[in-house]
Amino acid sequence: MSGPVSTKDTSDTAVPDVPTPTPTLEISDSRVAQVGHTMVRRALPRRTRRTVGAWCFADHLGPAAVTGDQGLDIGPHPHIGLQTVTWLIEGSLLHRDSLGYEQRVSPGQLNLMTSGGGIAHAEETSGTYVGGLHGIQLWVALPERTRHAEGGFEHHEDLPKLELDRAEVTVLTGEFAGQQSPARADTPLVGADLALRPGRTTLPLRADCEHALVVLDGAVSVGGDRQNSSIEPGALAYLGSGRDELGLEVREPTRAMLLGGEPFESPIVMWWNFVGRSREEISVAYKEWSAGTDRFGRVDSPLPRIDVGPPAWAVSG
Ligand code: MN
């Protein structure tokens, strides 16, 4: 589950996001994109918002029906400068990467791949799974300190859970309400699954972090002194920072993702499957993938590798 980022999503230059050091509620529509045979709703990046903490990408996948010939099959493709976080609430996906990991992921489990300076992977359903598929893939931008380092892969089946008012919270990565995920996190952040039952829940937040919500199923109202809006699938609700708690209200069982973290250290450039700091380094990564150099290794997958044309800025006019 991985979608290429294009200028339909965000600028391909290192423009910083507008800082929002205070609580806000900005609801932006996702862009509907096609990944394999499956429709996804891209909540992040958007033109006005490309990072929430280190989170820089959120593709809400499905709900979709996977059949024998209409699967979610993403052939080998490269990444730099990020972690991929794969989280399903229904279905199953098979991950294979250039480090040699082959790992099925199912609901309640986390697949976390760290690209470092270069990795490749494939995500497959065909031949291994038929049924409903519903989940989210997120990217975490790596800081300068680790973005050129070795890659890695982790699978976690035993993540911290806590009960909070009318919610069961699973901490995928980072820290939430005193619970620390065992997953590798290179910057202070939180990624949590919220299974909300009807009623009101108050989430404790770190005021020095910015946060956002993506609803996968159902609807949630964010209460505030001035605003009260319903957030539904197909939107990113950016909440700003400066909140030490967040009141949520739902009328029906709802699944949502809480994403947050300390504002990221620097503006990023995103193009295709790459996260960097300049067009130049992304052009180099593009050329190395196209040339099949050792940088990205090989993925043992029956699917064909994915190639694309060069970035627009690299095409001489
Ligand atoms: Mn990918």
Side-chain angles (χ1 to χ4, degrees), residues 1-3 74-75 77-79 82 84 113 120-123 137 139 273:
M1 190 181 357
S2 171
I74 313 297
H77 61 276
H79 286 291
L82 58 82
T84 60
M113 183 181 77
H121 72 149
E123 284 162 304
Q137 184 169 85
W139 296 353
N273 292 300

Side-chain angles (χ1 to χ4, degrees), residues 218-263:
V220 59
S221 291
V222 174
D225 292 337
R226 301 178 307 272
Q227 308 169 80
N228 197 321
S229 291
S230 179
I231 304 154
E232 296 177 4
L236 176 81
Y238 177 74
L239 300 160
S241 53
R243 296 174 188 267
D244 53 20
E245 61 177 36
L246 178 69
L248 301 177
E249 194 148 349
V250 308
R251 295 182 172 183
E252 55 180 318
T254 291
R255 287 296 280 278
M257 304 299 297
L258 173 71
L259 307 176
E262 292 182 3

Side-chain angles (χ1 to χ4, degrees), residues 180-195:
Q180 181 77 44
S181 165
R184 171 177 165 178
D186 290 5
T187 54
L189 52 72
V190 56
D193 176 291
L194 312 175

Side-chain angles (χ1 to χ4, degrees), residues 72-92:
L72 182 82
D73 288 322
I74 313 297
H77 61 276
H79 286 291
I80 65 168
L82 58 82
Q83 291 177 300
T84 60
V85 171
T86 305
W87 181 253
L88 299 177
I89 60 175
E90 181 187 8
S92 177

